[in-house]
């Protein structure tokens, strides 16, 4: 697994869920789970590129429950573009 998967997935999950709501005034509830253990020690393994110390997070946060594929993200971007165009915010 890539070291930066969790934060990216959380953001993308939010975008994908919002894609289903574009154009409506309904509230969106995004399913998340807590990620705790703030201040955990960083990874000491040295990567192929010589870097180390990944994984330490100084705060608790929440992450989206569901994975978001590239296809879902593209669908979100395409729908959002159409909405902006309809509203005259995109030429």
């Amino acid at each position: 697994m890539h070291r930066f998967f969790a934060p990216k997935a959380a953001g993308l999950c939010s975008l994908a869920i919002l894609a289903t709501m574009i154009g409506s005034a309904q509230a969106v509830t995004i399913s998340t789970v807590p990620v705790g253990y703030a201040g955990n020690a960083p990874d000491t393994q040295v990567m192929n590129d010589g870097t180390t110390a990944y994984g330490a997070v100084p705060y608790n946060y929440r992450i989206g429950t569901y994975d978001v594929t590239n296809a879902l993200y593209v669908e979100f971007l395409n729908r959002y573009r159409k909405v902006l165009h309809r509203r005259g915010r995109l030429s």
Side-chain angles (χ1 to χ4, degrees):
M1 175 162 48
H2 296 289
R3 300 251 184 241
F4 299 106
F5 173 76
K8 288 181 183 178
L12 294 178
C13 183
S14 300
L15 294 175
I17 292 171
L18 289 175
T20 62
M21 304 306 291
I22 289 177
S24 70
Q26 298 176 2
V28 176
T29 301
I30 299 173
S31 178
T32 62
V33 294
V35 178
Y37 197 47
N40 62 315
D43 188 359
T44 57
Q45 179 181 359
V46 178
M47 301 295 138
N48 292 336
D49 64 357
T51 59
T52 190
Y54 290 104
V57 179
Y59 52 87
N60 291 328
Y61 63 97
R62 297 186 70 82
I63 188 170
T65 305
Y66 303 103
D67 290 338
V68 176
T69 64
N70 287 340
L72 286 172
Y73 186 57
V74 168
E75 182 178 348
F76 162 77
L77 293 175
N78 288 334
R79 286 186 186 189
Y80 188 64
R81 182 182 173 280
K82 289 177 185 177
V83 169
L84 290 178
H85 184 70
R86 269 196 317 266
R87 294 179 182 172
R89 296 183 185 166
L90 187 68
S91 54

